[in-house]
Amino acid sequence: MSDPRTTPSIFTRGAVDLSALRAPAPSPAKTPAPAEGASRTADDSPSATIPGGLPGGVGPETIIDVTEANFQTTVLERSLSTPVILDFWADWCEPCKQLSPILERLAQAGGGSWVLGKVDVDANPRLAQALRVQGIPMVVAVVNGQLVEGFTGVLPESQVKQYVDAVLKAGGVAVEAPEDPRLDAADDALMVGDLDEAEAAYRKILAEHPADAAAESGLAQVELYRRISGADPTTAVAKADASPDDIDAQRLAADVEVLSGEADKAYARLVALVKRTAGDEREAVRKHLLSLFSVAGPDDPAVAGARRALASALF
């Protein structure tokens, strides 16, 4: 998913013309819909599941009906204070009946931190056209008046939750990192030195969630501990200092420095080595440095600086 903060505002977005939706549009005769912006009840929902808000209208709205007539107030204006995630659906859409309950559960669990807007594409064709709905179910979001890229089709609840969390973060809402017992078990194995068990656990997490930064860091630590197994730290650093062009010695010294809390020295050591090498040797050093970045994680400020130094050394 692209960075939501770089998406143009849909108030001015030329490719998505919503101006016609700002005035009330005539609706076909049908059973009266809930009041504009009103929370849904279980019977209102296409999947007939979760009520929006607490009984008797008490509590924050979590699920609302969105129409061409109320889009301005229930989505655009509301999004300036609360992220709105739109679910485009239709009665005849079987996949919609799988995705909608997931979104509704998450909306209710969110307690008003975001709002789920239900859009019936058959009843609101101009809205579906304006937002380029080519297939349903389709999910997009609006945050601070900006359209956030979404997805089409049915996803597992865990992936839908990841999307919701990304939308909340884009809206400045703090998202608590979920506890993962598998990650705790992997970390415990690493702490007691059971590297095989830790590796297996981290790889299992990454097989299901390839972008899990914590698991990537854990796996990189396993590899790091294996590389320094049996090495004497003082001797390793002394040998590297005496042989600046010995690639194996330099990489081992960098490993030792990272584990000694001197990551800055390790990064500088390997960046300098990148500058002095070429071809396959340079590539080996670069990959080793990237593995050390993974140990620290992407948010470490020292990593950010070292990445810039590496880029300068390479280009």
Side-chain angles (χ1 to χ4, degrees):
M1 186 177 70
S2 61
D3 186 344
R5 292 164 294 185
T6 64
T7 307
S9 170
I10 62 176
F11 282 111
T12 58
R13 184 180 170 121
V16 180
D17 183 9
L18 300 174
S19 59
L21 302 178
R22 302 189 182 201
S27 301
K30 58 188 295 186
T31 302
E36 179 175 311
S39 299
R40 275 190 175 277
T41 65
D43 290 338
D44 291 327
S45 168
S47 53
T49 53
I50 296 173
L54 301 177
V58 179
E61 291 180 320
T62 55
I63 305 174
I64 60 175
D65 281 308
V66 175
T67 67
E68 296 167 359
N70 68 23
F71 186 84
Q72 173 73 22
T73 55
T74 61
V75 177
L76 294 183
E77 294 177 8
R78 185 187 298 262
S79 77
L80 299 178
S81 59
T82 305
V84 180
I85 295 180
L86 299 176
D87 174 23
F88 291 87
W89 64 278
D91 281 329
W92 47 264
C93 172
E94 291 301 320
C96 296
K97 297 174 183 177
Q98 300 176 44
L99 180 63
S100 288
I102 294 174
L103 289 165
E104 290 165 5
R105 282 195 297 272
L106 294 175
Q108 189 182 49
S113 59
W114 62 282
V115 173
L116 174 63
K118 308 290 296 183
V119 184
D120 182 341
V121 296
D122 289 337
N124 301 279
R126 293 193 304 162
L127 184 52
Q129 181 180 17
L131 291 178
R132 299 177 176 177
V133 177
Q134 297 181 347
I136 57 174
M138 184 180 111
V139 173
V140 296
V142 184
V143 177
N144 294 322
Q146 294 184 322
L147 191 64
V148 177
E149 181 182 347
F151 60 90
T152 301
V154 181
L155 295 179
E157 185 162 344
S158 61
Q159 293 185 32
V160 178
K161 178 64 165 58
Q162 289 176 3
Y163 174 74
V164 170
D165 287 348
V167 170
L168 291 177
K169 289 178 182 178
V173 179
V175 178
E176 183 177 353
E179 295 183 1
D180 188 338
R182 300 173 306 167
L183 187 60
D184 290 340
D187 290 343
D188 289 344
L190 180 63
M191 290 180 66
V192 300
D194 190 344
L195 300 184
D196 291 340
E197 178 66 22
E199 179 183 8
Y202 289 130
R203 289 193 182 281
K204 185 175 181 180
I205 295 172
L206 289 170
E208 298 177 9
H209 304 286
D212 191 303
E216 287 180 346
S217 176
L219 186 58
Q221 290 178 62
V222 169
E223 295 169 349
L224 175 59
Y225 281 120
R226 283 187 172 141
R227 290 198 300 265
I228 66 166
S229 178
D232 178 74
T234 302
T235 301
V237 172
K239 179 178 180 181
D241 290 344
S243 307
D245 294 324
D246 185 330
I247 293 177
D248 290 339
Q250 294 300 320
R251 290 191 296 186
L252 180 58
D255 289 343
V256 168
E257 287 168 336
V258 166
L259 286 179
S260 300
E262 299 179 308
D264 286 344
K265 287 185 178 181
Y267 301 157
R269 178 186 295 276
L270 294 186
V271 167
L273 189 58
V274 165
K275 293 179 180 179
R276 299 196 301 271
T277 53
D280 291 343
E281 290 185 341
R282 169 182 273 199
E283 180 63 11
V285 176
R286 184 188 72 85
K287 288 183 177 180
H288 196 96
L289 181 54
L290 293 181
S291 75
L292 294 182
F293 290 164
S294 295
V295 170
D299 296 329
D300 190 306
V303 170
R307 283 190 181 278
R308 290 191 294 270
L310 175 60
S312 177
L314 290 171
F315 304 105

